[in-house]
Amino acid sequence: MSQEELLVLIYKKDERAFTHLYDMYSKSLFSVINVLIKNREEAEDVLQEVFVKIWKNIDSYNESKGRFYTWILNIARNTSIDKLRSKNFNNSQKNLSSDNFVNLLDDSNKLTNRIDTIGIQEFVKKLKPKCIEIIDLLFFKGYTQQEASEELAIPLGTIKTQNRNCINDLRNYLKI
């Protein structure tokens, strides 16, 4: 089936066209999405969303403004970017908490990791509880200072000051 024939069927909302559309473009669109998303499962979800958008918004495609492939590629790219910017996606991609990090090292059977674990556990115990909480959000979970401020219900300026103080505490412990 040619692209022109496919477009006619899509405009008519012929269900056979959806299968042809998917067969023709899914691999190339998935490649673009996967490069941006960097998570196969999430990329597959975005791919499905892209095909639904193509199907529902076919009337907005204008041949005089560009090729069909360019149009669907832009839909894939924009949907991927929207996904990357979404709060749920960002929260799902946060790193493990510091407790999980220490536990992962605890579970390891390698001698060097066990030695590191002892140092990390003792080091973490020396920090103030508020420092542990702030460092966990900013460094282990990847929050921005603004997000940490909102999460902890602390003014942004206070988060910045406490973060700086906590980093200084860490430096002092490392000198010992």
Side-chain angles (χ1 to χ4, degrees):
M1 176 179 296
S2 72
Q3 183 175 310
E4 291 77 25
E5 294 170 325
L6 177 63
L7 283 171
V8 170
L9 292 176
I10 294 172
Y11 281 120
K12 292 179 180 179
K13 300 294 184 194
D14 186 317
E15 291 182 16
R16 294 175 294 157
F18 192 86
T19 303
H20 288 290
L21 176 69
Y22 187 85
D23 290 343
M24 286 177 74
Y25 297 106
S26 63
K27 288 180 182 175
S28 59
L29 292 179
F30 181 77
S31 295
V32 170
I33 294 166
N34 199 36
V35 165
L36 292 168
I37 299 292
K38 295 178 178 71
N39 177 316
R40 184 172 184 81
E41 193 172 301
E42 293 287 342
E44 289 170 353
D45 289 344
V46 170
L47 180 66
Q48 183 178 12
E49 188 177 338
V50 165
F51 276 99
V52 169
K53 284 182 179 182
I54 293 167
W55 189 257
K56 287 183 176 180
N57 298 313
I58 190 65
D59 293 331
S60 68
Y61 170 64
N62 184 341
E63 287 182 48
S64 65
K65 291 185 178 180
R67 295 178 22 206
F68 179 68
Y69 181 73
T70 304
W71 183 72
I72 65 173
L73 192 61
N74 282 329
I75 292 173
R77 188 179 61 79
N78 292 339
T79 304
S80 298
I81 291 169
D82 290 345
K83 181 70 166 183
L84 289 171
R85 290 180 179 164
S86 75
K87 191 169 187 171
N88 286 340
F89 180 79
N90 285 327
N91 287 340
S92 74
Q93 300 302 307
K94 301 288 184 197
N95 291 332
L96 297 172
S97 73
S98 57
D99 290 338
N100 286 339
F101 182 71
V102 171
N103 290 336
L104 283 174
L105 290 174
D106 271 342
D107 292 340
S108 176
N109 291 327
K110 293 183 180 175
L111 178 61
T112 56
N113 284 346
R114 278 192 250 148
I115 292 167
D116 287 342
T117 302
I118 293 166
I120 291 170
Q121 285 176 331
E122 293 305 312
F123 183 70
V124 170
K125 288 177 188 175
K126 292 180 181 180
L127 296 173
K128 298 173 199 166
K130 187 53 79 179
C131 280
I132 294 170
E133 194 172 25
I134 290 171
I135 288 172
D136 183 51
L137 290 177
L138 294 176
F139 296 99
F140 290 104
K141 291 186 177 176
Y143 280 54
T144 64
Q145 289 181 340
Q146 179 66 43
E147 291 170 331
S149 168
E150 292 167 5
E151 178 76 20
L152 299 173
I154 297 174
L156 179 59
T158 304
I159 286 288
K160 289 179 178 185
T161 300
Q162 288 183 350
N163 181 40
R164 192 170 37 253
N165 292 338
C166 293
I167 295 298
N168 285 334
D169 289 346
L170 290 172
R171 284 185 184 129
N172 290 333
Y173 288 135
L174 286 172
K175 289 178 184 176
I176 297 175

